[in-house]
Amino acid sequence: MKNILLGYVLLLMVVSCGGQQKSSDSLSDGQGMELTETDSDTIPAEVLSDTLIVVDEVVPVTADASFIDFLYYFTTDEDFQHSRIQFPVSFYNDTTVLRLTADEWTFDPMFDKDEIYTVIFDREEDFELENGTSSTSVQIDRIYLTDFHIKRYYFELKNEHWYLEAVNKEKMSRTPNTGENFYDFYIKFASDSLFQSERLSKPLLFSTVDPEDEFSVLETTLEEGQWFAFRPPMPANVITNIRYGQQDTENSNTKIVEFKGLGNGFSNTLYFRRINKKWKLFKFEDLGD
């Protein structure tokens, strides 16, 4: 992504200019010998190599236009990530803390190779926080569902640029007596098709872009078989939550999980409700590009 070869463009320009001369034109090599136009077409390899100009691709100034724009470059460009960390950066791990210098930091892509991330809300009213520009502090949680640990990254906006300030790894709090825990439910829902089938509202509400009008949303329902045909990929071991300031509590009886892609337009949303202490999926939304 970083190297763009422009030598061939320059070479074509030279050949193009030479082609405008008459075939009878000749060039002197400086020693009394004349080079015909045919001779000038044969360029030594060392000359060709000298025409290859390497230009580094520059991160656009819009990298901080939104937090997600920043996050794309932060998780895909090693140099950019290194430039956007406040060193020495604190790394907290339960009761210990390390302060990593720039030389000690290792590039952290943060997401899996498919670059799908999730955002979790308790209510739809908080959606506006995700697309707003008022947030000056954002946390990203990597939630490890196998041992219920969270790795949390703390980002701050300073002088209109986002920076990573600290990383904290801690155990996830799990309050009893609130009914079925959402994350316990989600693990089974994402990995067990039979359990998934049992926890679908029937019929399942479905929203998608109208195929006849891309500016309109089509509201309909899905049967069980249609859900399994259109359901989004759901990571079962590690999920994320980008905290823009929205509520995310265990006591809430609604959970909204967005599945999004970094830079590829993928966007699916699942709406869950806890009824009689059990979670069910009642709405599926596919509004991606």
Side-chain angles (χ1 to χ4, degrees), residues 64 133 135-138 155-163:
D64 292 283
T133 57
S135 295
T136 59
S137 177
V138 174
F155 294 91
E156 295 289 337
L157 184 65
K158 295 183 176 182
N159 298 322
E160 300 184 348
H161 291 78
W162 287 99
Y163 292 91

Side-chain angles (χ1 to χ4, degrees), residues 88-92 97-101 104:
V89 62
S90 297
F91 189 100
Y92 299 91
V97 58
L98 296 174
R99 305 200 186 277
L100 302 179
T101 66
E104 294 171 324

Side-chain angles (χ1 to χ4, degrees), residues 127 142 204 228:
F127 281 179
R142 275 185 63 85
L204 177 66
F228 282 106

Side-chain angles (χ1 to χ4, degrees), residues 30-126:
Q31 296 180 352
M33 295 181 61
E34 290 189 346
L35 300 178
T36 66
E37 186 174 2
T38 302
D39 295 330
S40 65
D41 290 339
T42 304
I43 302 176
E46 59 270 17
V47 175
L48 178 61
S49 64
D50 290 340
T51 66
L52 300 180
I53 301 175
V54 178
V55 178
D56 288 339
E57 183 176 341
V58 179
V59 175
V61 294
T62 57
D64 292 283
S66 71
F67 180 77
I68 291 300
D69 289 331
F70 156 78
L71 188 62
Y72 172 78
Y73 291 104
F74 189 84
T75 57
T76 58
D77 189 307
E78 185 171 350
D79 292 335
F80 180 78
Q81 180 177 111
H82 205 269
S83 71
R84 292 303 187 88
I85 299 175
Q86 292 286 312
F87 292 110
V89 62
S90 297
F91 189 100
Y92 299 91
N93 189 353
D94 293 330
T95 60
T96 63
V97 58
L98 296 174
R99 305 200 186 277
L100 302 179
T101 66
D103 292 336
E104 294 171 324
W105 180 263
T106 302
F107 176 67
D108 186 350
M110 295 178 63
F111 302 113
D112 295 330
K113 292 181 180 180
D114 53 10
E115 295 185 344
I116 292 178
Y117 66 94
T118 54
V119 188
I120 303 171
F121 297 91
D122 282 358
R123 57 183 189 174
E124 293 184 55
E125 292 86 341
D126 289 337

Side-chain angles (χ1 to χ4, degrees), residues 229-243:
F230 299 130
R231 63 183 176 176
M234 289 177 284
N237 297 320
V238 181
I239 61 174
T240 60
N241 188 17
I242 302 182
R243 295 175 175 268

